[in-house]
Amino acid sequence: MTNLNLSSNELGSKLIGSSWNRSRYIVQTRLSPDNGKYFMPCLDNPRFESVFKFTIHEIPADSHVQYTNTSLVVAQESHREPLSDGRIAIRYVPSPQISMYQVGFHHSLFSNIRAASKYTNDTIVIWAPTQDIKSCYYLLNFGQSIIDMLHEYSTINRTLVTGPINIVGIPANVHGYEIASWNLLTNNVIRILYKPEFISVKQLDEMKFELTQQLCRIWLSSPGEPARTRWKEEWFKEGVASYLAYYFLSQYDGASQHLLHRTLSQYGLEMKHSAMLHDLHHTTPPLVSFNKELAVNIPWRYKELVTMKTASLLWMVENWLGSEKFHQALIKYINSRRGMYISLEDFMASLDHDTVECSHQFFNGSTASRILNSWFHHSGYPVINVQVLRRGNVDIVQLKQAIYRISPDDKRI
């Protein structure tokens, strides 16, 4: 177990002084696998996991110090203990066994609003500056709806995490939530507030997608689970989370009768076009080349490739198998692997087993695993050239396949 003692004497000192700008009002961690080791130098392996125990010391009231009312860490508060020098020690229960970059805390003068799921004790809490908290109700209600959809989809009464899911808006230029976080989610404050007079439709779509994708990641597996579910290929988990995010967004818009309601087919075309945009160049690697990479370590230029290509392939298989058959197989597989390892090979074998009598049989007896393997192990997109040959009253269709990519001289071949 690793003990972290955080003193507000040290934290508070950052908030003292005439040069302090009032718009900078928080102390916040946002660790990455490569830089988390500098937070605690003895733990320099991003795959190393430990149990962390937090203690925060609050100093006595002082008119010269800006105080905070928010203290969030990766574990639940245990108790508060007054000390002889007037400080208060806030002690937290030991965290789950997690990696260094999943450790986080937040200290600020923020207000919060919260909503609970109607199925389990899952609670979503949004923290923001008091003057902006009213603009967070849209995201709060939306997040609650997605959590309820996740519970309905999973068909079992199971909480996502132990304790609330805290969403914190921070004044930093970050894009999206941390992949490995589960109950302390930080994002750029402008991607959390909903102000109709300033926000565009595209911004609203990004706001909803990012939160839905993150909640899907948590549902698929999170370090805060009582029995940890682990994915051997994290890029594959990212693709499944992205596909499910679009699936739930289409369900949400349909249920709310949104004027700009888009179906999963429309989202599917967006996924496909985005994936093709990032998969054109001849140097683009196949998806399985990321098998040993942590999701947070995948190079930024391949993030869209990994998420959108995998998601669009799952959407393609769903169309072939039939939506009901595909989702029944997916839910059954995820529920059966709770607390165990999930692998790409195991998933495809389970999908073959549960969809052998699919409503739309593959040509030449092909299975879902054979189709997916051909896409996962090769880069680019195959292009089918179709030529119809007429011989009397008989039409013959001739198919030729070529690789769709861009050559060094910028010609498509």
Side-chain angles (χ1 to χ4, degrees):
M1 180 181 294
T2 304
N3 289 291
L4 296 178
N5 289 287
L6 308 173
S7 171
S8 63
N9 284 321
E10 300 170 3
L11 298 180
S13 65
K14 299 181 180 181
L15 306 175
I16 301 174
S18 59
S19 63
W20 179 256
N21 189 323
R22 289 184 176 274
S23 65
R24 301 169 63 189
Y25 34 62
I26 68 172
V27 176
Q28 173 75 40
T29 60
R30 190 180 173 96
L31 305 178
S32 66
D34 294 335
N35 295 322
K37 60 186 179 183
Y38 299 113
F39 186 65
M40 186 174 293
C42 60
L43 304 178
D44 60 355
N45 186 343
R47 293 184 182 272
F48 177 83
E49 294 187 344
S50 180
V51 174
F52 296 87
K53 187 174 182 180
F54 281 83
T55 300
I56 294 181
H57 291 178
E58 287 189 347
I59 61 177
D62 189 318
S63 60
H64 300 290
V65 178
Q66 180 176 339
Y67 284 91
T68 67
N69 62 356
T70 305
S71 180
L72 304 174
V73 297
V74 294
Q76 291 179 292
E77 183 176 324
S78 173
H79 64 279
R80 298 186 175 221
E81 178 184 339
L83 303 179
S84 58
D85 58 1
R87 293 181 298 165
I88 297 178
I90 307 174
R91 306 192 188 279
Y92 293 84
V93 299
S95 74
Q97 186 172 331
I98 56 177
S99 300
M100 186 67 233
Y101 65 92
Q102 292 164 335
V103 174
F105 67 89
H106 173 86
H107 225 61
S108 70
L109 266 171
F110 280 6
S111 299
N112 74 87
I113 51 177
R114 65 179 59 211
S117 168
K118 63 182 180 181
Y119 296 105
T120 64
N121 62 353
D122 281 311
T123 304
I124 184 169
V125 185
I126 298 184
W127 299 83
T130 303
Q131 67 271 19
D132 293 322
I133 198 66
K134 290 183 179 180
S135 300
C136 296
Y137 275 101
Y138 180 91
L139 194 66
L140 178 73
N141 296 330
F142 172 78
Q144 180 190 22
S145 298
I146 297 300
I147 290 177
D148 289 341
M149 285 184 178
L150 278 166
H151 289 309
E152 293 172 354
Y153 180 79
S154 64
T155 68
I156 58 175
N157 189 17
R158 174 185 173 276
T159 57
L160 297 183
V161 294
T162 301
I165 299 173
N166 296 283
I167 301 175
V168 184
I170 60 175
N173 187 24
V174 295
H175 303 286
Y177 301 96
E178 304 96 319
I179 289 174
S181 297
W182 75 97
N183 70 340
L184 176 53
L185 315 180
T186 59
N187 204 346
N188 194 326
V189 68
I190 64 173
R191 302 167 86 95
I192 289 176
L193 306 179
Y194 175 63
K195 297 183 177 182
E197 64 272 28
F198 300 120
I199 196 169
S200 67
V201 173
K202 183 177 181 180
Q203 287 176 300
L204 181 61
D205 287 344
E206 290 177 350
M207 177 193 302
K208 295 193 297 183
F209 173 76
E210 287 175 353
L211 180 56
T212 308
Q213 183 190 45
Q214 186 66 23
L215 292 175
C216 289
R217 288 178 181 135
I218 295 172
W219 177 75
L220 291 170
S221 71
S222 75
E225 289 179 320
R228 177 92 172 266
T229 305
R230 301 172 186 267
W231 290 63
K232 289 186 177 180
E233 298 91 0
E234 292 196 5
W235 64 266
F236 183 57
K237 177 188 173 184
E238 283 296 287
V240 176
S242 301
Y243 163 76
L244 288 176
Y246 284 120
Y247 174 78
F248 289 120
L249 283 173
S250 64
Q251 300 291 317
Y252 173 83
D253 288 344
S256 60
Q257 297 181 343
H258 198 281
L259 293 177
L260 300 176
H261 172 220
R262 282 184 286 178
T263 64
L264 184 58
S265 296
Q266 292 172 302
Y267 282 123
L269 288 175
E270 286 186 15
M271 292 185 284
K272 180 181 176 181
H273 293 158
S274 177
M276 292 180 71
L277 181 65
H278 291 83
D279 204 16
L280 289 175
H281 200 271
H282 68 284
T283 59
T284 303
L287 292 174
V288 294
S289 64
F290 302 105
N291 278 356
K292 296 182 180 180
E293 291 285 334
L294 290 170
V296 289
N297 279 344
I298 295 175
W300 182 257
R301 64 185 180 277
Y302 295 135
K303 294 286 186 183
E304 288 285 302
L305 170 69
V306 167
T307 56
M308 294 305 168
K309 185 174 182 178
T310 308
S312 62
L313 294 179
L314 291 172
W315 172 65
M316 176 181 68
V317 171
E318 179 202 347
N319 285 329
W320 285 342
L321 297 176
S323 182
E324 183 178 357
K325 179 75 71 173
F326 174 80
H327 285 285
Q328 284 178 350
L330 177 59
I331 295 167
K332 179 182 176 181
Y333 177 75
I334 297 298
N335 288 340
S336 68
R337 297 302 188 274
R338 291 297 178 191
M340 297 185 287
Y341 274 96
I342 291 177
S343 70
L344 178 61
E345 183 179 358
D346 188 41
F347 167 77
M348 291 192 295
S350 176
L351 189 62
D352 285 346
H353 179 272
D354 292 336
T355 60
V356 66
E357 296 179 356
C358 60
S359 56
H360 303 289
Q361 292 287 347
F362 291 117
F363 53 87
N364 296 331
S366 293
T367 60
S369 61
R370 290 183 62 185
I371 298 298
L372 288 174
N373 257 321
S374 65
W375 285 90
F376 290 149
H377 285 82
H378 296 87
S379 60
Y381 282 77
V383 175
I384 306 297
N385 296 316
V386 181
Q387 186 177 9
V388 179
L389 306 175
R390 301 185 183 277
R391 294 182 180 177
N393 295 327
V394 180
D395 291 340
I396 299 176
V397 178
Q398 185 181 63
L399 304 178
K400 290 184 179 180
Q401 180 174 307
I403 298 176
Y404 180 54
R405 66 187 184 192
I406 294 181
S407 64
D409 58 354
D410 202 35
K411 293 180 181 180
R412 296 185 179 183
I413 59 175

